[in-house]
Amino acid sequence: MRALIQRVLESEVKINDKSIGKIGKGFLVLLGITHTDTKKEVEWLANKIKGLRVFEDENGKMNLGLDEISGDILIVSQFTLYGNCIKGKRPGFTEAARPDIAIPLYENFIEKFKEFNVGKVETGKFGADMKVSLINDGPVTLMIDTKDIKNINGI
C-alpha cells in the first residue's frame, strides 16, 4: 500500500465539474493498493497517517498530528502510484490491485478515519476520472510505502 500525503490548507475533488469531496486544513491522501495488501496494511497505514506530527504547534514546530488539530482528510484512490516507468515510455500498472481487491481495502481505509477523532472525512470515487485541487501547506508532501516497513515491523 502506498500513500502520498500532502498537508493542505484546502483540497477538493470533482467529477464532471461537480464537487464530491472538499476539506479545509488537513491531509489529502492519494492511496494506491497492490495485490498483496491486506487489512493489516490498512490498519498500520491509517494509524501512521493519523499520528504524523507535521502540523505546527504554538512555537511553529511540526509537532501536532491530524487528530490534535481536528484536521480534515480527503482520501482519493490512485492506482497510478503503482505505475512502473522503468521500461518504455508508457507506464505499466500490473502492480496495482484489481478492483475486487482494492475497493474493499480502500473502503476499509476510509472507515478507519471515520472512527478516528479527526475533522471531516471526504473521499473521491474509486475508478472515476477525478479532478483534484489543493493548496499544499509548506509544501509538506510525504510518501509512505508499507513494503518498506514489512521487514522492520513484521506486519
Side-chain angles (χ1 to χ4, degrees):
M1 197 167 272
R2 290 180 178 158
L4 183 70
I5 303 131
Q6 296 180 308
R7 185 180 77 179
V8 298
L9 295 176
E10 62 184 55
S11 185
E12 182 175 20
V13 62
K14 293 181 177 183
I15 298 176
N16 297 324
D17 290 325
K18 182 179 179 213
S19 181
I20 65 163
K22 185 175 184 176
I23 63 166
K25 184 176 183 177
F27 286 144
L28 166 62
V29 176
L30 303 176
L31 185 69
I33 299 167
T34 193
H35 314 287
T36 58
D37 288 332
T38 67
K39 287 186 177 184
K40 284 184 178 181
E41 283 81 9
V42 168
E43 183 82 26
W44 184 90
L45 186 59
N47 280 297
K48 176 60 92 174
I49 291 170
K50 178 184 76 98
L52 284 176
R53 296 176 10 171
V54 297
F55 296 96
E56 293 178 356
D57 63 16
E58 65 279 356
N59 299 315
K61 301 265 186 204
M62 283 201 278
N63 202 27
L64 301 176
L66 189 66
D67 54 344
E68 295 169 298
I69 66 156
S70 295
D72 299 336
I73 187 163
L74 176 57
I75 303 165
V76 177
S77 62
Q78 180 91 34
F79 79 94
T80 61
L81 288 176
Y82 277 98
N84 184 327
C85 301
I86 301 301
K87 292 183 180 178
K89 298 196 189 301
R90 181 178 299 155
F93 299 104
T94 58
E95 292 305 308
R98 304 285 306 156
D100 60 315
I101 294 171
I103 291 172
L105 294 174
Y106 172 67
E107 290 173 349
N108 186 242
F109 187 82
I110 293 164
E111 288 306 310
K112 289 291 174 198
F113 277 94
K114 289 181 178 178
E115 294 169 8
F116 293 151
N117 184 28
V118 298
K120 283 196 306 186
V121 178
E122 297 281 321
T123 69
K125 182 177 178 191
F126 190 94
D129 180 17
M130 298 172 277
K131 307 302 180 220
V132 180
S133 61
L134 68 134
I135 298 176
N136 193 320
D137 184 18
V140 174
T141 302
L142 303 165
M143 172 71 89
I144 300 175
D145 191 327
T146 59
K147 78 169 176 55
D148 295 334
I149 56 90
K150 285 182 182 180
N151 292 332
I152 297 169
N153 293 335
I155 69 163

